[in-house]
Amino acid sequence: MNTTTPTQQNAAEKREPVLNTVERVTELCFGLFMALTFVGAVKAVTAGEDAGRKLFLAALGCNLAWGLADAVMYLVRTLADRGQRLTLALTVKREPDRAAAVRALRDALPTALEPLVDDEELELIRARLAAAPTLPPRAHFKRDDFLGAVSVFLLVVVSTFPVALPFILVRDHIAALVISRILTLAMLFAAGFALGRYTGAGAMKAGFAMMLLGIVLTMAIIALGG
């Protein structure tokens, strides 16, 4: 006889996305900014019929390298965060002194949440951890971690194309630069719009703010020699 309730079945079937909206937006914007540093230096590209191709390959090569580095660091951050949480759980589970275990949980709370959680609530968490049959001795990677790393890599690389592809498709570099800027601003606005909806900060406001941030950051990166 199956005693699982519909609510429990729905909770089990529901799967969190590998990357949340904030992570997707930030990785996409990171790739855009990296590609923009090359497009901003378009005048430095060697003149000739293949100048646009050289620019595109330079931007793509940069984002391939940074996409790989960012994907690896995503794995490092993920494992480190999981290890930190596991260490806390093991500490609380093995601590014979209930008060000391509750203090460990309280110390791990973010500063903004610490006043909102009382010791009785932390004691319930401590009791659940103490009653847990087993906990893994160390943190391990999961399949979704690698899916997330691949997603990070692809987001950074894909963001190259709307910025640099016009220089291959359009012979006039001035027209290509204008198209590239328009596409970039549109993507930045879309990214900010999605972020604003996700955080409740106002979609339109966040979209225009992201556009402005992209312009300022690109100018700063190019000015600093990026």
Side-chain angles (χ1 to χ4, degrees), residues 1-41:
M1 180 176 178
N2 185 7
T3 58
T4 304
T5 65
T7 302
Q8 290 173 326
Q9 290 177 342
N10 291 337
E13 293 173 358
K14 183 179 179 181
R15 175 175 173 167
E16 294 294 328
V18 175
L19 298 178
N20 62 36
T21 300
V22 176
E23 291 169 329
R24 290 195 296 269
V25 168
T26 53
E27 293 299 339
L28 180 64
C29 290
F30 172 76
L32 282 172
F33 297 148
M34 290 303 300
L36 279 171
T37 61
F38 285 86
V39 175

Side-chain angles (χ1 to χ4, degrees), residues 17 23 29 42 52 59 66 74 78 95 102 107 123 126 143 169 173 185 192 196 203 211 214 219:
E23 291 169 329
C29 290
V42 64
W66 277 106
Y74 170 84
T78 298
E95 176 58 62
V102 168
D107 291 341
E123 169 58 25
R126 184 211 65 79
R143 185 189 65 171
L169 301 179
H173 283 180
L185 290 175
M211 287 174 57
M219 292 174 62

Side-chain angles (χ1 to χ4, degrees), residues 196-207:
R197 285 182 55 183
Y198 180 77
T199 60
M204 294 296 292
K205 183 190 300 183

Side-chain angles (χ1 to χ4, degrees), residues 7-134:
T7 302
Q8 290 173 326
Q9 290 177 342
N10 291 337
E13 293 173 358
K14 183 179 179 181
R15 175 175 173 167
E16 294 294 328
V18 175
L19 298 178
N20 62 36
T21 300
V22 176
E23 291 169 329
R24 290 195 296 269
V25 168
T26 53
E27 293 299 339
L28 180 64
C29 290
F30 172 76
L32 282 172
F33 297 148
M34 290 303 300
L36 279 171
T37 61
F38 285 86
V39 175
V42 64
K43 293 182 180 179
V45 177
T46 304
E49 294 183 358
D50 63 343
R53 177 174 170 273
K54 290 179 180 179
L55 176 63
F56 175 79
L57 292 177
L60 180 60
C62 172
N63 277 19
L64 282 170
W66 277 106
L68 179 60
D70 212 18
V72 171
M73 292 311 300
Y74 170 84
L75 290 174
V76 172
R77 292 193 304 270
T78 298
L79 189 63
D81 290 344
R82 185 171 298 139
Q84 184 180 34
R85 293 192 297 270
L86 178 59
T87 298
L88 174 63
L90 289 171
T91 298
V92 172
K93 180 177 176 60
R94 295 168 179 171
E95 176 58 62
D97 185 348
R98 294 186 178 184
V102 168
R103 283 198 301 271
L105 288 171
R106 181 167 294 284
D107 291 341
L109 288 173
T111 303
L113 294 181
E114 198 274 338
L116 304 178
V117 182
D118 57 36
D119 287 350
E120 288 75 13
E121 293 170 312
L122 294 176
E123 169 58 25
L124 292 176
I125 298 174
R126 184 211 65 79
R128 292 193 190 99
L129 287 172
T134 57

Side-chain angles (χ1 to χ4, degrees), residues 135-152:
L135 289 174
R138 61 182 63 85
H140 297 283
F141 285 119
K142 300 178 181 179
R143 185 189 65 171
D144 281 355
D145 299 336
F146 297 101
L147 292 176
V150 171
S151 299
V152 167

